Amino acid sequence: TLTHIAQVSGCKTVLTLPELVAGLPDGLGDVTPIDLHTPPSRTQATGPALAGPDDPAFILFTSGTTGTPNGVIVTHANLANVLLTAPGNLGMRPGKTVAQILSIAFDMAAWEMLGALANGATLLIRGKDIAQTVAQAHIVIATPSILSTIDPDSCPQIETVAVAGEPCPRDLAETWAERARFFNACGPTETTIVNTADPFRPDDELLTIGRPTPNNTVYILGDDLTPLTIGEIGEMWAGGACVSAGYLANPELTKARYRDDPFLGRGKMFRTRDLGSWTTDGQLIHHGRVDDQVKIRGFRVELDAVSGAMESTPGCIRAVALKLDNTTLVGFVSPQIDPAAARESVAKALPYYAVPRQVFALPELPRTERGKIDKAALMALARDHLTAAEAAQ
């Protein structure tokens, strides 16, 4: 992966820690070890004094559906639009502290770091203890999986909380919304961190992903790219200032996912691969990924709906549903509640074919380095367990 990124980006310098130099592949360019215990020397900056709005600010490599990382080109204009307008600025200003708890390989970390930098807030860089850092912060940005590990009672200073990256359980949103301004936001890397957000209150009828952020648009389109009516579920396309400059050195993929925006009549729109629908008051409901709408025994099932039903079980904090094969759904709940109760919750809310064959109760759901639920690890766990059970019969 590192070799691919170095070749595609044409990088000339790699900054790393001394103890990691030996693990780097050959041919990455000049490797500059950074000693964190020695103050850096001050050198005269060279190169252009200012960057233009359309110049790249950073290139973030996503995992890519094919396993090959794709470099998303995010411009200064893209970032300025989300970080310097409300609600994307999240109230960051001098005197406010922002927790830096996310992996820097995750675009939401740019929300923490560059948001604080651009608005004059103080960035609290965590050590190994995430909860300790969050307890000192006024503003926290997290995935729901990470936020669910934090005790709200230990965070008396929290004023604003924003989550994105994966579906947020309503109970988690209500818990934090009782203490702080709470935003359930959404947006892939290609739309510059997030492109929808709106405050959520505990008495709101629906937990939505909000409205398009300033200077941005969202279109709910059918297969033929025609707009759907309010309430209809379709694929979300993003337009406006959020749309990034495309994929680095991959014109084919850029052409497939970015299109000229026929509705604004200017710029590009991006195919998010997320399913959504409009509410009558102009908010967006997220219905999962296109890939998460699966067929089980010939019936269409939305995995997020199954996860949500399991999360309605008393005591359940997080839940995930996965398709094991064409006839089998499996579920995972945390913490270790009664699996039968979780299956019953699904049976009460959804048709019989959406009920998981088996529910696994875990103390905590595994997470990726980016703080999202590790679905690959859960799938491996389910396959190993069912294979062992079949062998024992």
Short mmCIF file of all heavy atoms in Angstrom, two decimals, residues 45-85:
data_model
loop_
_atom_site.label_atom_id
_atom_site.label_comp_id
_atom_site.label_asym_id
_atom_site.label_seq_id
_atom_site.Cartn_x
_atom_site.Cartn_y
_atom_site.Cartn_z
N ALA A 45 11.00 28.96 4.72
CA ALA A 45 10.11 28.28 3.78
C ALA A 45 10.43 28.70 2.35
O ALA A 45 10.80 29.84 2.08
CB ALA A 45 8.65 28.61 4.10
N THR A 46 10.32 27.74 1.44
CA THR A 46 10.55 28.03 0.04
C THR A 46 9.30 27.69 -0.75
O THR A 46 8.40 27.01 -0.26
CB THR A 46 11.72 27.20 -0.50
OG1 THR A 46 11.42 25.81 -0.33
CG2 THR A 46 13.01 27.53 0.24
N GLY A 47 9.25 28.16 -1.98
CA GLY A 47 8.09 27.86 -2.82
C GLY A 47 7.12 29.02 -2.82
O GLY A 47 7.38 30.08 -2.26
N PRO A 48 5.97 28.83 -3.46
CA PRO A 48 4.99 29.92 -3.57
C PRO A 48 4.48 30.33 -2.19
O PRO A 48 4.30 29.51 -1.30
CB PRO A 48 3.89 29.31 -4.43
CG PRO A 48 4.06 27.83 -4.29
CD PRO A 48 5.52 27.60 -4.10
N ALA A 49 4.23 31.61 -2.03
CA ALA A 49 3.79 32.13 -0.74
C ALA A 49 2.35 31.74 -0.44
O ALA A 49 1.99 31.53 0.71
CB ALA A 49 3.93 33.65 -0.72
N LEU A 50 1.52 31.66 -1.46
CA LEU A 50 0.11 31.38 -1.25
C LEU A 50 -0.35 30.28 -2.20
O LEU A 50 0.13 30.17 -3.33
CB LEU A 50 -0.73 32.64 -1.50
CG LEU A 50 -0.55 33.80 -0.53
CD1 LEU A 50 -1.33 35.01 -1.03
CD2 LEU A 50 -1.00 33.41 0.87
N ALA A 51 -1.30 29.48 -1.72
CA ALA A 51 -1.95 28.50 -2.57
C ALA A 51 -3.26 29.08 -3.07
O ALA A 51 -3.89 29.89 -2.39
CB ALA A 51 -2.21 27.21 -1.79
N GLY A 52 -3.67 28.66 -4.24
CA GLY A 52 -4.95 29.11 -4.78
C GLY A 52 -6.09 28.24 -4.30
O GLY A 52 -5.87 27.13 -3.81
N PRO A 53 -7.33 28.72 -4.42
CA PRO A 53 -8.49 27.95 -3.95
C PRO A 53 -8.59 26.56 -4.57
O PRO A 53 -9.01 25.61 -3.90
CB PRO A 53 -9.68 28.82 -4.36
CG PRO A 53 -9.13 30.20 -4.48
CD PRO A 53 -7.72 30.03 -4.96
N ASP A 54 -8.18 26.42 -5.82
CA ASP A 54 -8.32 25.14 -6.50
C ASP A 54 -7.09 24.25 -6.40
O ASP A 54 -7.06 23.15 -6.96
CB ASP A 54 -8.66 25.37 -7.99
CG ASP A 54 -10.01 26.06 -8.16
OD1 ASP A 54 -10.90 25.82 -7.32
OD2 ASP A 54 -10.17 26.83 -9.13
N ASP A 55 -6.06 24.73 -5.69
CA ASP A 55 -4.88 23.90 -5.48
C ASP A 55 -5.18 22.81 -4.45
O ASP A 55 -5.96 23.01 -3.52
CB ASP A 55 -3.71 24.75 -4.98
CG ASP A 55 -3.14 25.65 -6.07
OD1 ASP A 55 -3.26 25.26 -7.25
OD2 ASP A 55 -2.59 26.71 -5.75
N PRO A 56 -4.53 21.64 -4.58
CA PRO A 56 -4.75 20.57 -3.58
C PRO A 56 -4.27 21.01 -2.20
O PRO A 56 -3.18 21.58 -2.07
CB PRO A 56 -3.89 19.42 -4.13
CG PRO A 56 -3.72 19.71 -5.58
CD PRO A 56 -3.67 21.20 -5.68
N ALA A 57 -5.09 20.75 -1.19
CA ALA A 57 -4.67 20.98 0.20
C ALA A 57 -4.09 19.69 0.77
O ALA A 57 -3.09 19.71 1.48
CB ALA A 57 -5.87 21.43 1.03
N PHE A 58 -4.72 18.58 0.45
CA PHE A 58 -4.16 17.28 0.80
C PHE A 58 -4.78 16.22 -0.10
O PHE A 58 -5.80 16.44 -0.75
CB PHE A 58 -4.37 16.92 2.28
CG PHE A 58 -5.81 16.78 2.72
CD1 PHE A 58 -6.54 15.63 2.45
CD2 PHE A 58 -6.43 17.78 3.45
CE1 PHE A 58 -7.85 15.50 2.87
CE2 PHE A 58 -7.75 17.66 3.89
CZ PHE A 58 -8.46 16.50 3.59
N ILE A 59 -4.13 15.07 -0.16
CA ILE A 59 -4.65 13.91 -0.90
C ILE A 59 -4.85 12.80 0.11
O ILE A 59 -3.90 12.40 0.79
CB ILE A 59 -3.69 13.47 -2.01
CG1 ILE A 59 -3.50 14.59 -3.03
CG2 ILE A 59 -4.20 12.20 -2.69
CD1 ILE A 59 -2.37 14.37 -4.00
N LEU A 60 -6.08 12.35 0.25
CA LEU A 60 -6.37 11.30 1.22
C LEU A 60 -6.70 10.02 0.47
O LEU A 60 -7.58 9.99 -0.38
CB LEU A 60 -7.53 11.70 2.13
CG LEU A 60 -7.68 10.79 3.34
CD1 LEU A 60 -7.97 11.58 4.60
CD2 LEU A 60 -8.74 9.73 3.14
N PHE A 61 -5.97 8.97 0.80
CA PHE A 61 -6.18 7.69 0.14
C PHE A 61 -7.22 6.87 0.90
O PHE A 61 -7.05 6.55 2.07
CB PHE A 61 -4.86 6.92 0.03
CG PHE A 61 -3.96 7.44 -1.06
CD1 PHE A 61 -3.18 8.57 -0.85
CD2 PHE A 61 -3.94 6.82 -2.30
CE1 PHE A 61 -2.36 9.06 -1.87
CE2 PHE A 61 -3.12 7.32 -3.32
CZ PHE A 61 -2.33 8.43 -3.10
N THR A 62 -8.31 6.57 0.20
CA THR A 62 -9.35 5.71 0.78
C THR A 62 -8.97 4.26 0.54
O THR A 62 -8.08 3.95 -0.27
CB THR A 62 -10.71 6.00 0.13
OG1 THR A 62 -10.66 5.62 -1.26
CG2 THR A 62 -11.05 7.48 0.23
N SER A 63 -9.67 3.37 1.22
CA SER A 63 -9.34 1.95 1.09
C SER A 63 -9.64 1.43 -0.30
O SER A 63 -8.94 0.57 -0.84
CB SER A 63 -10.12 1.13 2.13
OG SER A 63 -11.51 1.38 2.01
N GLY A 64 -10.70 1.94 -0.94
CA GLY A 64 -11.03 1.50 -2.30
C GLY A 64 -11.76 0.18 -2.29
O GLY A 64 -11.40 -0.74 -1.57
N THR A 65 -12.81 0.08 -3.08
CA THR A 65 -13.60 -1.15 -3.10
C THR A 65 -12.84 -2.31 -3.72
O THR A 65 -13.18 -3.47 -3.50
CB THR A 65 -14.91 -0.93 -3.88
OG1 THR A 65 -14.58 -0.44 -5.18
CG2 THR A 65 -15.79 0.09 -3.18
N THR A 66 -11.82 -2.04 -4.53
CA THR A 66 -11.05 -3.11 -5.16
C THR A 66 -9.85 -3.52 -4.33
O THR A 66 -9.13 -4.44 -4.70
CB THR A 66 -10.55 -2.65 -6.54
OG1 THR A 66 -9.66 -1.54 -6.36
CG2 THR A 66 -11.71 -2.23 -7.42
N GLY A 67 -9.63 -2.85 -3.21
CA GLY A 67 -8.47 -3.14 -2.38
C GLY A 67 -7.28 -2.26 -2.70
O GLY A 67 -6.31 -2.23 -1.95
N THR A 68 -7.33 -1.54 -3.82
CA THR A 68 -6.27 -0.60 -4.18
C THR A 68 -6.68 0.80 -3.73
O THR A 68 -7.74 1.28 -4.11
CB THR A 68 -6.04 -0.59 -5.70
OG1 THR A 68 -5.69 -1.91 -6.13
CG2 THR A 68 -4.92 0.37 -6.07
N PRO A 69 -5.86 1.45 -2.90
CA PRO A 69 -6.24 2.78 -2.39
C PRO A 69 -6.42 3.80 -3.50
O PRO A 69 -5.67 3.82 -4.49
CB PRO A 69 -5.05 3.15 -1.50
CG PRO A 69 -4.39 1.87 -1.16
CD PRO A 69 -4.58 0.99 -2.35
N ASN A 70 -7.44 4.64 -3.35
CA ASN A 70 -7.71 5.71 -4.30
C ASN A 70 -7.41 7.05 -3.64
O ASN A 70 -7.92 7.33 -2.56
CB ASN A 70 -9.18 5.68 -4.74
CG ASN A 70 -9.57 4.37 -5.40
OD1 ASN A 70 -8.86 3.88 -6.27
ND2 ASN A 70 -10.68 3.79 -4.98
N GLY A 71 -6.60 7.87 -4.29
CA GLY A 71 -6.23 9.16 -3.71
C GLY A 71 -7.24 10.24 -4.08
O GLY A 71 -7.37 10.60 -5.25
N VAL A 72 -7.95 10.76 -3.10
CA VAL A 72 -8.95 11.81 -3.32
C VAL A 72 -8.27 13.17 -3.16
O VAL A 72 -7.66 13.44 -2.13
CB VAL A 72 -10.11 11.68 -2.33
CG1 VAL A 72 -11.15 12.79 -2.56
CG2 VAL A 72 -10.77 10.31 -2.46
N ILE A 73 -8.41 14.02 -4.18
CA ILE A 73 -7.77 15.34 -4.16
C ILE A 73 -8.73 16.34 -3.55
O ILE A 73 -9.75 16.70 -4.14
CB ILE A 73 -7.39 15.79 -5.59
CG1 ILE A 73 -6.51 14.73 -6.27
CG2 ILE A 73 -6.68 17.14 -5.55
CD1 ILE A 73 -6.29 14.99 -7.76
N VAL A 74 -8.40 16.81 -2.34
CA VAL A 74 -9.22 17.79 -1.63
C VAL A 74 -8.54 19.15 -1.74
O VAL A 74 -7.35 19.29 -1.41
CB VAL A 74 -9.38 17.39 -0.14
CG1 VAL A 74 -10.21 18.44 0.60
CG2 VAL A 74 -10.04 16.02 -0.03
N THR A 75 -9.27 20.14 -2.21
CA THR A 75 -8.69 21.46 -2.45
C THR A 75 -8.86 22.39 -1.24
O THR A 75 -9.64 22.10 -0.33
CB THR A 75 -9.32 22.13 -3.68
OG1 THR A 75 -10.69 22.48 -3.36
CG2 THR A 75 -9.30 21.22 -4.89
N HIS A 76 -8.15 23.51 -1.29
CA HIS A 76 -8.30 24.52 -0.25
C HIS A 76 -9.72 25.08 -0.23
O HIS A 76 -10.28 25.36 0.83
CB HIS A 76 -7.28 25.66 -0.46
CG HIS A 76 -5.87 25.25 -0.18
ND1 HIS A 76 -5.30 25.30 1.06
CD2 HIS A 76 -4.92 24.74 -1.01
CE1 HIS A 76 -4.05 24.87 1.00
NE2 HIS A 76 -3.80 24.52 -0.24
N ALA A 77 -10.31 25.27 -1.40
CA ALA A 77 -11.69 25.76 -1.47
C ALA A 77 -12.66 24.77 -0.86
O ALA A 77 -13.60 25.15 -0.15
CB ALA A 77 -12.07 26.06 -2.92
N ASN A 78 -12.44 23.47 -1.14
CA ASN A 78 -13.28 22.44 -0.51
C ASN A 78 -13.26 22.56 1.01
O ASN A 78 -14.30 22.56 1.67
CB ASN A 78 -12.77 21.04 -0.88
CG ASN A 78 -12.95 20.66 -2.34
OD1 ASN A 78 -12.16 19.89 -2.87
ND2 ASN A 78 -13.97 21.17 -3.00
N LEU A 79 -12.05 22.67 1.57
CA LEU A 79 -11.90 22.72 3.02
C LEU A 79 -12.47 24.00 3.61
O LEU A 79 -13.16 23.97 4.64
CB LEU A 79 -10.43 22.58 3.40
CG LEU A 79 -9.84 21.17 3.27
CD1 LEU A 79 -8.33 21.22 3.48
CD2 LEU A 79 -10.48 20.23 4.30
N ALA A 80 -12.17 25.13 2.97
CA ALA A 80 -12.65 26.40 3.50
C ALA A 80 -14.17 26.41 3.60
O ALA A 80 -14.74 26.96 4.54
CB ALA A 80 -12.17 27.55 2.62
N ASN A 81 -14.83 25.77 2.63
CA ASN A 81 -16.29 25.80 2.63
C ASN A 81 -16.89 25.07 3.82
O ASN A 81 -17.89 25.51 4.39
CB ASN A 81 -16.83 25.18 1.33
CG ASN A 81 -18.33 25.34 1.22
OD1 ASN A 81 -18.85 26.43 1.07
ND2 ASN A 81 -19.06 24.23 1.31
N VAL A 82 -16.28 23.95 4.24
CA VAL A 82 -16.86 23.21 5.36
C VAL A 82 -16.33 23.70 6.70
O VAL A 82 -17.06 23.73 7.70
CB VAL A 82 -16.62 21.69 5.19
CG1 VAL A 82 -15.15 21.33 5.28
CG2 VAL A 82 -17.42 20.90 6.24
N LEU A 83 -15.07 24.12 6.76
CA LEU A 83 -14.45 24.45 8.05
C LEU A 83 -14.73 25.88 8.49
O LEU A 83 -14.64 26.19 9.69
CB LEU A 83 -12.94 24.24 7.98
CG LEU A 83 -12.46 22.82 7.68
CD1 LEU A 83 -10.94 22.78 7.63
CD2 LEU A 83 -13.01 21.82 8.70
N LEU A 84 -15.05 26.76 7.56
CA LEU A 84 -15.22 28.18 7.90
C LEU A 84 -16.66 28.65 7.83
O LEU A 84 -16.93 29.84 7.83
CB LEU A 84 -14.33 29.04 6.99
CG LEU A 84 -12.83 28.76 7.09
CD1 LEU A 84 -12.06 29.63 6.12
CD2 LEU A 84 -12.33 28.96 8.51
N THR A 85 -17.59 27.71 7.75
CA THR A 85 -19.02 28.04 7.78
C THR A 85 -19.69 27.19 8.83
O THR A 85 -19.23 26.10 9.18
CB THR A 85 -19.70 27.78 6.42
OG1 THR A 85 -19.59 26.38 6.09
CG2 THR A 85 -19.07 28.60 5.30
#
